[in-house]
Amino acid sequence: IFNELLFNPQPGKYDFAELYNRSKRIIDMRDMLIGTLSNTGTIIDPIQITASSFYLFPDEYLAITSDANNLIEEYPLSDPKQVLENKDLPSMPDDKGAIALSTRSGLITDAITYDDSWHFPLLNNREGVSLERIDPNGKTVDASNWTSAASLAGFATPTKKNSQFHVYRQKEAMVSIDPTSFTPDNDGNNDLLGIHYKVNQPGYVIQVRVYDTD
């Protein structure tokens, strides 16, 4: 699945797309393609991610970029062994775009239509800030499952667990919140609040009040 995207890099830097193997299988990335997603949901001009076998094990991350050395220099905490260079990586426009993953047979395994508005709304400058998937088991197409990488993580975490990673779990209560308090300053610590509801029929209306600690 797509796990992190940098589509608006700093001047002189490069885009990257990070993948995460959430399955229990070992995936040979030589058998996977990446391309632009069309309006009809098909993949356009797919390219082979790598010409040589590269095995992505369960729970591993892989960053794909046009310049591997540049990414490793820009993010020294990244794992060089989990970075692949591909000069033909599909274009990812700065404002919005759509990319997809597929097998060689054409089966699309994941696709995303991203938008710059998915970033943390209080972020003044989005240049050089990646979009991170919050819950790897959440929907790819859900804008609320993506947000800006934390400032304390250098605004991107290629080949590493996302700085904004959080698995939301539905509780038995009719309405629950997780966490009980949050601090939306984009530092990677309780930046997001999940409100979960479990009802037996449609038509309910919820009213939410947010308070500070004073």
Side-chain angles (χ1 to χ4, degrees):
I1 59 170
F2 289 111
N3 193 60
E4 184 176 357
L5 299 176
L6 180 64
F7 49 84
N8 185 10
Q10 296 280 2
K13 308 302 180 181
Y14 297 86
D15 296 344
F16 73 77
E18 182 194 67
L19 310 180
Y20 171 63
N21 184 2
R22 69 179 180 186
S23 76
K24 301 302 181 183
R25 300 180 178 181
I26 300 172
I27 301 172
D28 188 349
M29 299 310 297
R30 185 178 62 172
D31 297 329
M32 299 299 297
L33 310 177
I34 186 171
T36 303
L37 184 69
S38 73
N39 294 331
T40 59
T42 58
I43 190 169
I44 303 173
D45 298 327
I47 58 115
Q48 190 177 19
I49 289 179
T50 175
S52 304
S53 285
F54 183 98
Y55 297 106
L56 190 64
F57 287 78
D59 295 321
E60 280 191 343
Y61 303 90
L62 172 66
I64 310 167
T65 183
S66 298
D67 192 316
N69 289 332
N70 183 280
L71 183 145
I72 294 166
E73 291 174 2
E74 184 74 4
Y75 306 105
L77 295 180
S78 61
D79 183 352
K81 298 189 300 297
Q82 298 303 116
V83 178
L84 282 181
E85 181 175 291
N86 193 316
K87 300 294 186 183
D88 298 321
L89 190 68
S91 173
M92 291 191 287
D94 293 351
D95 53 349
K96 57 184 177 180
I99 54 176
L101 288 171
S102 80
T103 62
R104 285 191 182 186
S105 63
L107 175 66
I108 292 181
T109 61
D110 200 18
I112 179 171
T113 302
Y114 67 83
D115 194 290
D116 182 65
S117 64
W118 292 11
H119 274 293
F120 183 66
L122 301 181
L123 198 63
N124 293 324
N125 183 11
R126 297 167 180 173
E127 197 172 71
V129 182
S130 71
L131 269 181
E132 290 186 335
R133 190 183 190 121
I134 299 168
D135 184 347
N137 296 312
K139 294 180 179 179
T140 304
V141 295
D142 185 358
S144 66
N145 196 35
W146 295 83
T147 192
S148 306
S151 58
L152 295 182
F155 292 112
T157 55
T159 76
K160 300 294 182 181
K161 184 177 180 179
N162 286 347
S163 61
Q164 301 288 17
F165 172 89
H166 187 89
V167 176
Y168 292 111
R169 294 180 173 86
Q170 175 67 50
K171 300 180 181 179
E172 291 303 317
M174 181 177 177
V175 178
S176 62
I177 61 174
D178 180 23
T180 54
S181 62
F182 70 115
T183 53
D185 53 6
N186 202 47
D187 67 350
N189 181 32
N190 291 339
D191 289 328
L192 305 171
L193 177 72
I195 302 176
H196 309 273
Y197 54 90
K198 185 178 183 180
V199 296
N200 56 6
Q201 62 185 27
Y204 285 92
V205 176
I206 185 171
Q207 184 180 65
V208 178
R209 291 188 177 94
V210 180
Y211 297 90
D212 62 20
T213 55
D214 296 331

